[in-house]
Amino acid sequence: GENVEQHPSTLSVQEGDSAVIKCTYSDSASNYFPWYKQELGKRPQLIIDIRSNVGEKKDQRIAVTLNKTAKHFSLHITETQPEDSAVYFCAASIEGPGGGYQKVTFGIGTKLQVIP
Amino acid sequence: NAGVTQTPKFQVLKTGQSMTLQCAQDMNHEYMSWYRQDPGMGLRLIHYSVGAGITDQGEVPNGYNVSRSTTEDFPLRLLSAAPSQTSVYFCASSYSGPSGVDTQYFGPGTRLTVL
């Protein structure tokens, strides 16, 4: 099955600096890569996603890049703010036969701390 | 819309007891999943369903049963609780759009402790 590795497990940055979280996946058939943010005691919530036909996607201060050849994708957060502090999960999924259900495999998460 | 709801929010069981975690969604999503979240291990798929009457195993299915009699509901049953099942359980739902399966929406979670 799919295996997703995520680095680093913890990350501390000064407010205003950039944060980068990297993930690699094992199955070249994976075609959908979402990123989730989970605040303490809350549910995971999607912050950005990318499909395999796109190399980069941006949404305000966050961006995701995908390198299909190397099988890795990254989350970039610029101008970090204290409210960005949370655990971030990457995930990879493979579309089922006929475009059906995708079994999603998650990375272990990165705890981001933004220091004011 | 209430989105994805889960009950209870917290539960303490003794080893060997059984219980059902409830999950419901009002978005008419085809796909529903159960995950468990343990420190340092991310979210791991327990069981999933691609529609009413259809379920399948995920990565860590042992000790859990599911059924899907309606589109809205997807309960998770612990048959004989063990301390290793102490975890936070999340239910999620999603649907298949024009670009493929869309994002998963998670419920608020159930924190389960087995003594």
Side-chain angles (χ1 to χ4, degrees), chain A residues 32 34 36 38 41-46 49 51 87 89 95 99-109, chain B residues 4 31 33 35 37 40-43 45 48-50 57-58 90 96 99-104 106-108:
Chain A
Y32 177 61
Y36 291 86
Q38 186 179 29
K42 301 288 184 64
R43 73 190 79 186
Q45 291 195 300
L46 181 81
D49 58 9
R51 299 187 185 274
V87 178
F89 292 96
E95 196 166 51
Y101 180 78
Q102 297 173 324
K103 294 176 70 172
V104 183
T105 302
F106 286 83
I108 63 170
Chain B
V4 181
Y31 309 124
S33 307
Y35 295 89
Q37 184 175 32
M41 302 190 74
L43 292 129
L45 183 65
Y48 65 97
S49 170
V50 299
Q57 296 181 349
F90 287 100
S96 181
S99 302
V101 178
D102 209 332
T103 185
Q104 291 193 99
F106 284 85

Side-chain angles (χ1 to χ4, degrees), chain B residues 1-22:
Chain B
N1 288 353
V4 181
T5 58
Q6 290 182 240
T7 56
K9 291 186 178 179
F10 302 94
Q11 183 70 49
V12 179
L13 293 178
K14 294 181 179 178
T15 297
Q17 287 185 314
S18 63
M19 78 159 296
T20 299
L21 308 185
Q22 301 292 344

